[in-house]
Amino acid sequence: MVWHINLLLVFPLLFNFFNRSSAAPVTYNVLSLGAKPDGKTDSTKSFVSAWTAACGSEQPATIYVPPGRYLLQKAYFNGKCKNNAITFHIDGTLVAPSDYNILGNVGNWILFEGVTGVSIRGGILDGQGTGLWACKASGRNCPSGATTLSFSNSNNIVVSGLTSLNSQMFHIVVNGCHNVKLQGIKVLASGSSPNTDGIHVQLSSGVTILNSKISTGDDCVSIGAGTTDLWIENVACGPGHGISIGSLGKDLQEPGVQNVTVKAVTFKGTQNGVRIKTWGRPSSGFVSGVLFQHVIMVNVQNPVVIDQNYCPGNINCPGQVSGVKIRDVTYRDIHGTSATPVAMKFDCSKTNPCSGITLEDVKLTYQNQPAAASCANAGGTTSGLVVPTSCL
Ligand SMILES: *[C@@H]1O[C@H](CO)[C@@H](O)[C@H](O)[C@H]1NC(C)=O
């Protein structure tokens, strides 16, 4: 009979435990906090109040944004929260001020800084960048503009089903983060919009970008110094400047890029396909362990390119060579069409030649003929059918 008593004691404890851990997250609706879905009233304060409440909650918290347009100025969401599960569930559109002087040189429009365990589900972010692009195109003196969405020094981030429209500068930036998943992202901006990179990753590890479509005026994905364990899969790019590792090696002291996988991607009408780009100047940076696999090129100007002589405006680098060592880069199953005669170009550093470049099953044509390849200071191996004939 003794165990009966034990059971009676234990059962309520168990019940309490399960009950607590499955407690519905607290929800903060921005409308209840004063936000106006009219696209005109500044709703920044309501969003920040919702964040402050969610961040101060000891239970998982959801911030809900109902359908409608919400005008937001600079919106910064800071960490040191009491829970590590905050979800932004966005059914509406967040709109940046149409006057680009309001964000001016602030750098970031929506910024998460030092947060852990944040998810964003759905939502449209409208950066209203067209005015600033026009200003930049006119050669007038313009502010640099703001990145639409940034995560800085943050961990365990998930963004899914989000659309970023017409950012002033970069659309999404991941900086100094660990364990970030971006999936089902749509980026949309004019092919002639300046500096509107789709997703930029730097100084971060364990970033995954899946099932996304990026059409913009600069790199679809740009990969900066200090990126490790990056996985990109099922991404469509175009218009845009392709997927680019770099520019690297601008600074003398710079962390390297390591273990990057780019898989099942399509480039349509882009300036580049898969590119590695470094400044032609001394640097401690490096690139090591990159796999480009199952890539389709449709009318791409530079489908496969390594350029280690980047020196915009020929300032601060003429006559110098890149210190960035590039090794172990594999191109496997790369097919399609080039918009220029040279489809494969490896222009590597004279003092740090590229090594361990592997070409496997590559076929790139130009006007229905085999395209051409050019190599400088590049070594490696080929296997399977490789067109253009390798110059490694
Ligand atoms: C490379 O990165 C992937 C994630 O993108 C990870 O699963 C894998 O373990 C990493 N490989 C090494 C050798 O660290």
Side-chain angles (χ1 to χ4, degrees), residues 229-231 259:
D229 302 343
L230 170 67
W231 191 279
N259 186 17

Side-chain angles (χ1 to χ4, degrees), residues 359-379:
L359 299 170
E360 284 177 42
D361 187 18
V362 174
K363 189 176 178 196
L364 294 165
T365 58
Y366 170 63
Q367 294 181 346
N368 295 319
Q369 303 288 322
S374 88
C375 292
N377 313 308

Side-chain angles (χ1 to χ4, degrees), residues 237 242-243 265-270 272-274 295-300:
C237 167
I243 293 180
V265 294
T266 303
F267 299 93
K268 271 195 190 146
T270 50
N272 307 286
V274 290
V295 179
I296 295 172
M297 309 278 180
V298 182
N299 202 30
V300 173

Side-chain angles (χ1 to χ4, degrees), residues 372-390:
S374 88
C375 292
N377 313 308
T381 57
T382 67
S383 68
L385 176 76
V386 174
V387 175
T389 308
S390 163

Side-chain angles (χ1 to χ4, degrees), residues 92-212:
T93 301
L94 315 189
V95 187
S98 57
D99 175 358
Y100 53 77
N101 289 309
I102 293 175
L103 291 174
N105 290 308
V106 65
N108 293 290
W109 175 32
I110 299 169
L111 169 69
F112 291 86
E113 167 69 50
V115 304
T116 298
V118 171
S119 304
I120 300 182
R121 274 201 252 133
I124 300 174
L125 309 180
D126 185 349
Q128 304 232 68
T130 53
L132 182 62
W133 308 339
C135 176
K136 288 180 175 176
S138 75
R140 271 179 288 147
N141 205 3
C142 318
S144 58
T147 287
T148 285
L149 174 65
S150 291
F151 294 93
S152 195
N153 306 312
S154 296
N155 299 324
N156 309 341
I157 305 297
V158 179
V159 181
S160 58
L162 177 108
T163 297
S164 176
L165 291 179
N166 299 336
S167 63
Q168 296 187 350
M169 277 279 289
F170 292 7
H171 286 264
I172 299 173
V173 168
V174 175
N175 168 47
C177 296
H178 176 65
N179 189 22
V180 177
K181 196 165 180 181
L182 308 175
Q183 54 190 355
I185 306 294
K186 275 193 196 134
V187 167
L188 197 56
S190 153
S192 59
S193 55
N195 297 116
T196 52
D197 293 40
I199 299 171
H200 176 75
V201 180
Q202 63 178 22
L203 301 171
S204 296
S205 61
V207 177
T208 305
I209 301 169
L210 298 178
N211 309 335
S212 296

